[in-house]
């Protein structure tokens, strides 16, 4: 733990920068006057924290950590200007820097989805699987579900129309559905194999998962994203709570 703490300080201070190779096991062992096993244990701590990564024939290097992105509480509000979505506002990028991988399929509501939609198990849904790219870097993935009865035969059901300026709220408006409330619930954990591969996350980096629901003015739930997944080490969620006397 002492050796890991010292190496951690070297990384934090910039003495070891992103991409730099750490000294070899024999060199560290000699420097700290401990066994190579002790050095391996120290490096394992830093690896689990996502600070370093070890690759075959490339040694142990300091990991590159993407910039922190803040998810503002007002990101779903409609704003005038150039085409945008809540994602592009979170990332601070323009429309030309935004790329979306997508795959659509028709599914039936599982017990979990039925509970989130407050609908019957087996109701027909459209599942929209997305991977969001900031330029060429994947930073978010999600599966968004909408009711098939709402979107059947409309442009919303065709993936060719994604990405859609304004996001889900604008899509619902095009169907005559007025969204007046959005709820989100957050959890954090370690990535699944698919999440780590898709988002290019190294070992030891947690993810932020959250479930979002778009709710119409009549109280009907018209969209559920379950889950939305982002890197947990570079995502900050900001909340603003206005208190009235």
């Amino acid at each position: 733990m002492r050796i890991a703490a010292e190496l951690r300080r070297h990384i934090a201070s910039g003495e070891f920068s992103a991409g730099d190779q750490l000294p070899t096991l024999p060199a560290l062992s000699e420097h700290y006057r401990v066994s190579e096993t002790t050095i391996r244990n120290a490096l394992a701590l830093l690896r689990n924290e996502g600070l370093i990564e070890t690759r075959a024939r490339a040694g142990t290097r300091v990991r590159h950590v993407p910039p922190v992105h803040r998810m503002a509480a007002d990101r779903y509000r409609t704003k005038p200007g150039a085409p945008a979505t809540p994602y592009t506002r979170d990332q601070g990028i323009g429309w030309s820097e935004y790329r979306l991988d997508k795959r659509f399929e028709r599914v039936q509501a599982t017990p979990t989805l039925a509970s989130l939609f407050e609908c019957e198990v087996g109701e027909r849904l459209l599942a929209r699987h997305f991977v969001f790219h900031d330029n060429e870097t994947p930073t978010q993935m999600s599966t968004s579900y909408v009711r098939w009865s709402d979107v059947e035969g409309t442009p919303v059901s065709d993936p060719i129309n994604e990405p859609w300026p304004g996001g889900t709220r604008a899509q619902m408006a095009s169907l005559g559905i007025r969204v007046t409330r959005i709820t989100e619930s957050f959890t954090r954990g370690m990535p699944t194999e698919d999440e780590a591969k898709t988002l290019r996350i190294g070992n030891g980096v947690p993810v932020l998962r959250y479930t979002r629901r778009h709710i119409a003015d009549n109280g009907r739930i018209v969209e559920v994203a379950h889950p939305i997944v982002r890197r947990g080490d570079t995502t900050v969620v900001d909340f603003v709570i206005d208190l009235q006397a």
Side-chain angles (χ1 to χ4, degrees):
M1 292 178 68
R2 176 180 59 82
I3 294 170
E6 185 170 327
L7 292 172
R8 193 182 296 112
R9 284 195 297 270
H10 289 322
I11 294 172
S13 69
E15 182 177 342
F16 294 142
S17 301
D20 286 352
Q21 186 168 357
L22 296 184
T24 63
L25 285 176
L28 289 171
S29 177
E30 180 179 354
H31 176 76
Y32 288 107
R33 298 182 179 181
V34 296
S35 69
E36 290 190 12
T37 298
T38 300
I39 297 299
R40 287 192 182 93
N41 291 337
L43 295 180
L45 292 174
L46 301 181
R47 194 175 298 109
N48 286 336
E49 295 172 15
L51 294 177
I52 62 174
E53 59 185 353
T54 302
R55 298 181 180 177
R57 295 185 296 277
T60 299
R61 298 181 181 273
V62 178
R63 286 187 61 252
H64 171 73
V65 179
V68 170
H69 290 285
R70 310 189 76 89
M71 297 169 56
D74 65 348
R75 64 189 181 279
Y76 291 110
R77 291 177 181 168
T78 301
K79 299 178 181 180
T85 68
Y87 172 78
T88 61
R89 296 189 188 107
D90 286 341
Q91 295 295 119
I93 59 176
W95 198 252
S96 63
E97 301 170 282
Y98 173 33
R99 181 166 68 82
L100 186 68
D101 295 339
K102 64 256 185 172
R103 179 174 63 85
F104 285 19
E105 63 175 336
R106 287 173 56 182
V107 300
Q108 293 184 338
T110 63
T112 297
L113 289 172
S115 176
L116 290 169
F117 268 104
E118 298 179 3
C119 70
E120 296 294 327
V121 173
E123 179 171 334
R124 293 188 300 167
L125 305 173
L126 178 65
R128 308 177 297 173
H129 306 280
F130 296 129
V131 179
F132 301 76
H133 295 257
D134 178 340
N135 290 288
E136 294 304 314
T137 303
T139 62
Q140 178 175 302
M141 59 190 295
S142 70
T143 301
S144 167
Y145 300 88
V146 290
R147 298 175 188 260
W148 183 246
S149 59
D150 287 339
V151 303
E152 182 180 6
T154 73
V156 176
S157 66
D158 191 339
I160 197 173
N161 295 313
E162 295 285 359
W164 189 298
T168 300
R169 185 180 177 189
Q171 289 178 332
M172 292 298 110
S174 75
L175 302 174
I177 298 172
R178 180 169 173 260
V179 173
T180 56
R181 176 177 294 178
I182 295 174
T183 67
E184 293 178 328
S185 57
F186 294 83
T187 61
R188 176 175 164 169
M190 299 309 295
T192 65
E193 183 177 352
D194 179 59
E195 290 168 348
K197 180 179 179 181
T198 300
L199 297 178
R200 304 174 191 168
I201 299 175
N203 293 334
V205 178
V207 293
L208 181 72
R209 296 187 186 94
Y210 61 104
T211 298
R212 179 193 67 209
R213 300 195 299 175
H214 279 74
I215 305 173
D217 53 2
N218 60 1
R220 184 170 176 266
I221 299 163
V222 295
E223 185 262 358
V224 171
H226 178 72
I228 302 173
V229 184
R230 293 182 62 93
R231 299 178 60 111
D233 60 341
T234 58
T235 302
V236 176
V237 181
D238 287 332
F239 288 93
V240 177
I241 302 174
D242 293 320
L243 301 179
Q244 298 180 354

